[in-house]
Amino acid sequence: MSSKITASSQGSSAQEGTIQTPQNENKLGTSVLLFVIMIALFLGAVYSLSFLTLDNPWPMAVCIGLFALAFWIPQSILGRSDSAGEH
């Protein structure tokens, strides 16, 4: 089984030179950096819960906001959400 992907003859001529495969999407350093940033957002969301009281709802709002960013950024901005029809 080969991991090479060949381009079909259908498509624009601008995309003939480069084929985006899962093996060449992100470099290791970029992936590690993105992971560190997203885990920091998630841990910040968990840490904000330590300040939560019944009198102060803002730590929960911060928690929801940071968690939403930690989930939404990789899924929609950094992810491959537009690649459903590629394969």
Side-chain angles (χ1 to χ4, degrees):
M1 189 187 288
S2 175
S3 63
K4 292 184 178 182
I5 298 174
T6 58
S8 65
S9 60
Q10 303 170 0
S12 66
S13 62
Q15 294 180 349
E16 289 178 5
T18 60
I19 298 172
Q20 197 72 344
T21 62
Q23 291 84 12
N24 66 2
E25 277 189 7
N26 284 337
K27 302 210 181 300
L28 178 63
T30 305
S31 295
V32 169
L33 179 67
L34 291 172
F35 174 78
V36 168
I37 292 171
M38 294 308 123
I39 202 73
L41 285 173
F42 177 73
L43 292 176
V46 172
Y47 179 69
S48 71
L49 291 177
S50 66
F51 299 105
L52 184 64
T53 62
L54 291 176
D55 296 334
N56 189 7
W58 287 108
M60 181 58 82
V62 170
C63 175
I64 292 171
L66 288 176
F67 176 76
L69 284 175
F71 180 77
W72 178 72
I73 289 172
Q75 291 292 317
S76 61
I77 294 177
L78 303 176
R80 296 192 50 167
S81 60
D82 60 344
S83 65
E86 282 185 10
H87 302 290

